[in-house]
Amino acid sequence: MNKLGLHANVWVAGWSENEAAMAIAKTAETGFDLIEIPALDASRLRPEETRQRLDAAGIGCTLSLGLDAKTDISSGDPELMKAGEEKLRTTLSVARDLGATHVCGILYSAFQKYFEPPTARGIEASAEVMHRVAGYAAENGITLGMEVVNRYESNVLNTAAQAVAYCEMVGAPNVKVHLDAYHMHIEEANPVEAIKATGAHLCYFHTGESHRGYIGSGSIDQPGIFRALVASGYEGPITYESFSSEVVGQPLTGILGIWRNTWTDGEDLARHAHTYMHAQLKAARETQRRPVALSETGA
Ligand code: MN
């Protein structure tokens, strides 16, 4: 069964003791099974204390991050690649200490607007680093999700098909595809077909809305998305992601372009998201129920 998750930025921008306590307690209270903790700097996550809080609340966690210009493993620059590999390994050691099942996001390049297309050599180099890092992740039971994002946030993986090809290039069983409804709505010709085509490569899914606000209040075909996830046999986490400048600070506000608030009450947003996702998933599963043949009804 799919675990339902919530991105911590619905509650907090950072990870001070107070922020961690509030975000974990509220995520559990609103009914979610896991919290996705932003790990742009994993060294600030205080794994021992955070894990105690997670255990006390009875929820799990995943980590997400994007690399930056100084750690860009798709750059082809040996120094940046070395720094990127170190950053990924540091994040993985924190993930292990937290008991995180997945480390996701823009792990394969910088999380930024690029002004040039990627090079073939850069992508190969990124895949080589990912292969090495995957071994370390596997030793700790962690799956790596390559998040497919829109063209303004990376130049490497903008479609599900590109991500499948990248994972095949990496050639490690725990390096898989992370899709996001918001990004797919921008880049895919047909998000439903893209989810189905990704199939068993999919390891993580972000729900969200076209304007990144209340789920169901934008222009994404949410029933279609949930039906596609169920029809393709996906059983991994489904995590809701939404951002408001009421909560997140820089640099995220700038990178994501959060210039207006689609919500101010994170608790109302989270409760609605949990109810909505739970109902969509239930409805999608019911579409799989096979009708009884006429001859078996006794009519
Ligand atoms: Mn996402």
Side-chain angles (χ1 to χ4, degrees):
M1 289 290 255
N2 307 92
K3 288 193 169 160
L4 296 184
L6 183 66
H7 197 287
N9 279 158
V10 167
W11 308 114
V12 294
W15 204 253
S16 67
E17 287 194 30
N18 284 342
E19 286 172 314
M22 188 270 214
I24 290 169
K26 287 283 189 188
T27 298
E29 247 176 70
T30 42
F32 289 92
D33 308 305
L34 68 89
I35 183 168
E36 180 178 319
I37 305 172
L40 291 168
D41 182 358
S43 69
R44 294 186 182 175
L45 297 182
R46 302 181 311 282
E48 198 177 329
E49 170 213 318
T50 297
R51 188 165 188 167
Q52 280 173 4
R53 293 187 192 281
L54 291 165
D55 290 346
I59 60 172
C61 78
T62 60
L63 297 187
S64 61
L65 74 153
L67 297 176
D68 61 17
K70 291 177 184 162
T71 51
D72 186 353
I73 61 172
S74 74
S75 60
D77 178 319
E79 279 197 20
L80 301 184
M81 286 168 61
K82 187 161 173 275
E85 183 166 346
E86 276 169 20
K87 184 169 178 102
L88 291 173
R89 284 178 184 274
T90 303
T91 308
L92 283 166
S93 69
V94 172
R96 172 200 61 207
D97 295 345
L98 281 169
T101 53
H102 296 70
V103 174
C104 299
I106 309 166
L107 311 181
Y108 50 80
S109 80
F111 171 26
Q112 64 177 34
K113 164 81 168 73
Y114 283 84
F115 291 88
E116 300 286 340
T119 63
R121 176 62 203 134
I123 293 173
E124 278 170 26
S126 167
E128 285 163 19
V129 171
M130 201 60 67
H131 185 88
R132 289 197 293 271
V133 170
Y136 181 51
E139 287 166 22
N140 296 293
I142 297 167
T143 301
L144 297 173
M146 306 297 114
E147 184 170 15
V148 179
V149 296
N150 75 72
R151 64 190 69 192
Y152 306 109
E153 297 184 19
S154 174
N155 62 356
V156 175
L157 301 183
N158 300 143
T159 67
Q162 289 175 324
V164 170
Y166 178 88
C167 289
E168 283 171 350
M169 194 185 283
V170 174
N174 61 329
V175 174
K176 301 180 110 178
V177 179
H178 165 187
L179 294 176
D180 178 314
Y182 161 78
H183 296 293
M184 297 183 88
H185 186 65
I186 297 171
E187 299 291 354
E188 301 287 352
N190 185 330
V192 164
E193 290 307 317
I195 289 169
K196 290 181 182 170
T198 303
H201 289 282
L202 188 64
C203 74
Y204 202 78
F205 196 83
H206 271 165
T207 55
E209 214 19 283
S210 49
H211 47 46
R212 309 208 92 163
Y214 275 77
I215 188 167
S217 75
S219 54
I220 289 178
D221 171 18
Q222 302 288 356
I225 296 280
F226 280 88
R227 286 181 184 206
L229 290 171
V230 168
S232 50
Y234 178 66
E235 292 188 339
I238 302 176
T239 297
Y240 176 62
E241 186 175 45
S242 180
F243 300 100
S244 169
S245 55
E246 286 275 310
V247 177
V248 296
Q250 293 292 8
L252 212 51
T253 292
I255 301 174
L256 296 172
I258 308 166
W259 313 132
R260 62 198 163 84
N261 289 334
T262 50
W263 51 268
T264 52
D265 182 345
E267 181 153 359
D268 188 59
L269 178 92
R271 283 194 193 284
H272 166 73
H274 187 271
T275 303
Y276 189 94
M277 287 159 68
H278 190 267
Q280 287 290 345
L281 203 49
K282 166 75 175 160
R285 286 183 184 137
E286 289 300 328
T287 68
Q288 301 292 302
R289 196 191 285 271
R290 298 284 172 244
V292 176
L294 284 177
S295 60
E296 292 170 16
T297 60

